[in-house]
Structure formats: structure tokens, C-alpha cells
Amino acid sequence: MQFNSYSYLLLLFPAVAGYWALPARFRAVYVLALSLLFYAAWKPLYLLLPLLVCVAIYACGRKVLAVPPDGKRRWMWCGIVFVLLILCLFKYGQFFIDNVNAALAGLGRSPLSARLAFAMPLGISFYSFEAIGFLVDARQGRIKPFSRSDIALFLTFWPNVVSGPIVRFRELIPQFRAHRTFELAMLLRGMDRLIWGLVQKNLIANNIAGWVDEGFRPQGALLNTTLDNWALAFGFGLQIYFDFAAYSNMAIGSAQLLGITLPENFRFPYHAENPSDFWSRWHMTLSRWIRDYLFFPLNARFRGAPGPLYLSLVGIMALVGLWHGAGWGFVLWGAMHGTYLVLHRIWESLQETRFPRMATSRWVRWGWRLFTLCAVMAAWVPFRAATVGQALMMLRAMFLGFTFRISYPVNFYLVLLAVGLFCVVEPYLGQLISRVEKALAQRQSTLAAHIFLLRPLAYACGLLLFAIFDDRDAQFIYFQF
């Protein structure tokens, strides 16, 4: 059941009404039941997998809290290894077999006959990271005593179980224990995010998707010019941003209807000033997870040894790419981002020691902005291309063989320009809307009109755009991860 489906929207509001009608002590159990039903609506049998992870994490987590300090590390790693084995089997098992067979074929040996016939479980990448983060936090003393239902609710909470945001136990579960009372402002905030997410998905992301899909077809990519490939790179960059931001907004909005605040996941990433800033704006909860559980330990370990640190940085980002999908294109995407981060760190070191005046140079800052935007867009090519070979062919045409003929309808380039311009003004529009809302809310004479007339009118327009541009076959891109 997708967030942008009529079935989800029709069932969401009765579910929310039931939540607020219940006594506070029953609400967490009610949400847990809804979350399990939501997951089972995809494939009932696969509900067993997150439940199995819940059992393992509960058992290991209780041991981590109970045993002496010297035993905590062992139980933490028992849980982490179990989660990673589940993740590798269901997400990377066939990828491993395919690569072994390719190596055997290169050696003239017979390939393995094994083939894994199951589909990748929904949301496995996301709840695996949440489970690992929980165990690390438990070992570090950041987790208070918990119950089985706490763990189950934490790992299966329906708004974020499929594609994030990646939350932490100490962020989510205490909110269910707080027993909030219903507030109209909370409902309106949830509706704002939900409707805007629907518009982002159906009006913007889906309208770019058709042209991007056509341009990245292996047969069509052979004929693409330099201008075509850059347009497709920017097109997919905009598509995946608005698609994933739409999902995140709808997840945050759905949770907000229950009085639950999920962490933000995007903050205008294409306005980033440098590669490091990009990762503080793009998929922010994943970036935070990588920073806290991987980068910080590595920084502490390789302090004063930049060479090993830089190699580790590229390696970690390559693994982040692999986390997104079982394919070498994802690994290349991650390695490219790791290289960008290393280049920026090297520049920062040189700037401090040799070029201190450049720290305040406007030209340098804008140079990094332009580099970051173009580099990020170029990295989307291997992320989206069918094969690494196709990605390298397209990148070669973008940077080496320059041809500027256009191969697609002019409407594609015009839509791309319009969406790009919207991206430029998006943060300023958000600030303007916030100021207008505050001004209206401060005036008692206009407050009722704002709540009961202007806002419902905006919601109606958003739902109308959602219905007009609805494409029932268009899934969220991050569902496959």
C-alpha cells in the first residue's frame, strides 16, 4: 500500500480518528497493530522477517543492558551480525551469486546452479540500520529499559518502516509514552506535509520520470549527446529529490497526525555549498547515522593519519552506495561521493595552511557550489543507469566527447528548466509562506478564515493536482532500496 494510493489516503483518516478516540494507554498498541497490518498488506509472509529481527534485537538488547560492561560488546555484536546476515541474505544473496558466476565464467569454470527466488523484503535496509543503531546506543548507555512491544513499534512504525526517515529508539518511543492531547495545529501541520508530498510526487517527480526512463534505456543512451546526458543527469537528480522528499514529507505528515514528530530528511540539498554540506542536506537521517556510527569512530581511529582516513571515507561511501542497491552502479555512485568528500577535506586543509585568504573569497564559495551541483548530478548517472558500462559511456559523453544536439522533445528541456527554477526559489517560497502564515495567525480577524477557508482551499487544490496527475503504476524510487 503506497502513500500516494487512494486506498492509503482513504484508510489513513479513520485510523487517525481511532487513535485519538482511544484512551492514551492503548494508543501505542493500536499503532503497532496498524503498522503490522500495513506491512502485511504488501506480503503477509514477509511480516515474519521484521518480527524475527524484533525478537533478536529485543533479546540482545536486554542482554546488553543486563550484563557487566565487559559482556556488553559481545551481545551488541551478536545482534549486529544477525541483522547483517539477514540483510545480506535477502538483499545481496543473488548479487553475490551472480558475481561469483561471472568470476567462474571468466576462469572457464561451471557457474553455480543456486538461485534465490524470493523478493527483497520491504524496508529491510531501513529497519536494519535502525536495529544496529539501537544496539550501539544500548551499549553506550543511551537506552532506558524497554518492552517487546517497544521494540516492535520502533522497528515497524508504519510511516517510516518502508523508506525512512531513519529514526532512533530514544527519539520515537518516548513520544508514545508522553500521551499527548489532540491539537488542531498538529493536525494542520500533518496535513500540510501530506498534501505537499502528494503534489511533489504526482505533479513534479512523475512528470519527469517518463523522459528520464526513456533517456536511460540502454538502446537510447547510445545515441545521447553531451547535452542530452547532462539533461538526463539533472532530470534524474530532480526526479529522485522530489520523489524521495515526497515520501519523507508524507511519512512525517502521517506521523504528525498522530502527534509523533519524525526527524527531517531533506533541506534543499541542491543549494549545498560543498560536498560535505550536501550530505548535511540530503537524506539527513542516513547522513546522521553514517556520521555517528561510522565516521566519528574512524575519525578517532585515524586522527593524524589523513591517508588511511581518506581511503576509509571513500570505502564507507562505497558501502553506502551498496546499501542503496545490490549493483556496482550504486557502489560507483558512493565512491564518487566519497571522492568528492575527500577533495573537499584536502581543500580545507590546504586552505588553513597555505591559502587562508581564500576562506572568505566569494568566488571560491561559488566555485564549490557549482562544482558540488555538477558533481552530484554526474554521480546520479551510475545510480540510475542499467549497467556500469552504460554509466561510463554516458559519463564519457558528458566530459570528453562534446556534442550539443538535442534528441528529445523540447518539452522535456522546458519542464526540466521550470523544475530547476522552482528548486532555486523553493527555500525562499517556504520562508515567504511561513511569514504569511505567522502574520495571519497573529490577527484574530483573519485566523478563522485562514484555518477554515484558505487552508482547506489549498488542500483541495493540492488534492486536485494529485488526482489530475495520478499515475497508479508509479512507485516511490526508494521502495526498491
Side-chain angles (χ1 to χ4, degrees):
M1 188 187 300
Q2 294 198 92
F3 282 176
N4 61 328
S5 66
Y6 292 105
S7 55
Y8 178 77
L9 296 174
L10 290 173
L11 292 172
L12 175 62
F13 293 99
V16 171
Y19 174 83
W20 289 111
L22 284 171
R25 64 182 182 277
F26 297 124
R27 289 174 184 167
V29 176
Y30 174 75
V31 173
L32 175 58
L34 290 179
S35 299
L36 296 178
L37 287 172
F38 175 83
Y39 198 94
W42 177 65
K43 265 188 182 176
L45 184 62
Y46 275 26
L47 179 61
L48 295 175
L49 193 60
L51 291 179
L52 179 62
V53 172
C54 289
V55 171
I57 295 307
Y58 173 78
C60 292
R62 289 297 294 265
K63 285 291 186 180
V64 169
L65 294 187
V67 299
D70 57 345
K72 293 181 184 294
R73 182 181 178 86
R74 181 173 65 252
W75 282 105
M76 178 193 75
W77 277 109
C78 283
I80 290 175
V81 169
F82 177 82
V83 172
L84 290 177
L85 286 174
I86 293 289
L87 178 63
C88 290
L89 174 64
F90 282 89
K91 186 167 183 175
Y92 304 107
Q94 190 58 52
F95 176 68
F96 174 76
I97 293 172
D98 291 343
N99 280 278
V100 169
N101 284 340
L104 290 174
L107 296 172
R109 303 288 185 87
S110 300
L112 300 175
S113 58
R115 186 157 192 87
L116 302 180
F118 43 74
M120 188 180 73
L122 203 65
I124 187 171
S125 301
F126 290 87
Y127 65 70
S128 295
F129 268 25
E130 289 175 344
I132 292 170
F134 169 82
L135 290 170
V136 175
D137 286 349
R139 178 179 176 261
Q140 294 175 347
R142 298 173 182 172
I143 301 294
K144 295 180 179 180
F146 53 86
S147 65
R148 295 179 183 86
S149 60
D150 288 338
I151 294 294
L153 180 57
F154 166 58
L155 293 179
T156 64
F157 184 44
W158 96 76
N160 72 301
V161 68
V162 177
S163 296
I166 299 171
V167 300
R168 301 183 183 186
F169 184 89
R170 63 183 187 271
E171 290 176 330
L172 182 64
I173 297 305
Q175 295 188 66
F176 284 100
R177 296 170 178 165
H179 302 325
R180 291 190 61 173
T181 57
F182 178 80
E183 298 174 8
L184 179 60
M186 178 180 58
L187 178 67
L188 295 176
R189 287 195 299 271
M191 286 292 295
D192 289 348
R193 302 298 288 267
L194 194 67
I195 300 296
W196 176 229
L198 288 171
V199 173
Q200 283 180 306
K201 172 61 176 169
N202 281 22
L203 178 62
I204 304 176
N206 287 359
N207 272 301
I208 304 174
W211 282 305
V212 170
D213 291 343
E214 181 182 350
F216 274 95
R217 284 188 305 178
Q219 300 85 353
L222 291 168
L223 305 175
N224 287 343
T225 66
T226 301
L227 187 60
D228 296 333
N229 285 328
W230 274 110
L232 289 166
F234 272 81
F236 181 68
L238 292 170
Q239 179 200 353
I240 195 171
Y241 164 54
F242 282 106
D243 189 281
F244 194 18
Y247 177 89
S248 297
N249 277 322
M250 296 188 72
I252 292 169
S254 297
Q256 189 68 64
L257 295 175
L258 305 175
I260 303 299
T261 301
L262 295 180
E264 294 294 336
N265 226 12
F266 290 92
R267 186 170 55 85
F268 314 117
Y270 296 139
H271 285 256
E273 296 183 354
N274 53 62
S276 299
D277 188 37
F278 174 79
W279 280 100
S280 71
R281 296 166 174 264
W282 175 273
H283 204 170
M284 293 156 62
T285 54
L286 173 63
S287 302
R288 181 183 63 167
W289 194 97
I290 297 166
R291 179 197 67 198
D292 292 350
Y293 301 121
L294 294 176
F295 282 173
F296 282 173
L298 279 174
N299 265 323
R301 182 172 184 178
F302 295 118
R303 189 179 300 277
L309 178 61
Y310 294 158
L311 288 174
S312 301
L313 190 56
V314 175
I316 285 174
M317 292 306 295
L319 289 175
V320 170
L322 189 62
W323 174 85
H324 280 80
W328 291 111
F330 297 108
V331 175
L332 178 56
W333 171 80
M336 291 173 72
H337 274 281
T339 304
Y340 303 156
L341 291 170
V342 167
L343 289 174
H344 184 247
R345 285 199 170 204
I346 291 172
W347 168 252
E348 285 185 319
S349 299
L350 291 173
Q351 189 176 257
E352 290 178 3
T353 57
R354 300 188 181 183
F355 310 110
R357 292 184 180 180
M358 289 190 176
T360 57
S361 170
R362 182 179 300 178
W363 291 104
V364 171
R365 288 202 304 271
W366 277 100
W368 272 108
R369 275 178 178 265
L370 182 60
F371 168 81
T372 301
L373 179 63
C374 294
V376 166
M377 293 303 180
W380 287 125
V381 172
F383 191 98
R384 177 61 180 80
T387 64
V388 173
Q390 179 191 339
L392 294 177
M393 179 187 65
M394 294 178 69
L395 289 170
R396 191 180 305 116
M398 292 164 67
F399 291 100
L400 297 177
F402 299 109
T403 51
F404 297 98
R405 185 186 70 257
I406 61 173
S407 307
Y408 300 96
V410 69
N411 283 349
F412 168 53
Y413 304 93
L414 292 175
V415 168
L416 206 59
L417 179 62
V419 176
L421 289 174
F422 176 75
C423 244
V424 171
V425 303
E426 187 183 13
Y428 310 109
L429 283 176
Q431 293 172 8
L432 177 62
I433 291 171
S434 295
R435 285 199 297 268
V436 170
E437 285 197 331
K438 287 180 181 178
L440 291 173
Q442 288 172 357
R443 297 181 182 179
Q444 293 298 323
S445 59
T446 59
L447 180 59
H450 174 233
I451 295 175
F452 298 109
L453 179 62
L454 297 179
R455 226 182 187 108
L457 184 61
Y459 295 159
C461 291
L463 290 171
L464 181 62
L465 290 172
F466 157 73
I468 291 173
F469 292 96
D470 183 37
D471 182 357
R472 298 182 185 182
D473 296 327
Q475 289 191 340
F476 287 97
I477 293 173
Y478 263 69
F479 267 33
Q480 62 186 295
F481 306 140

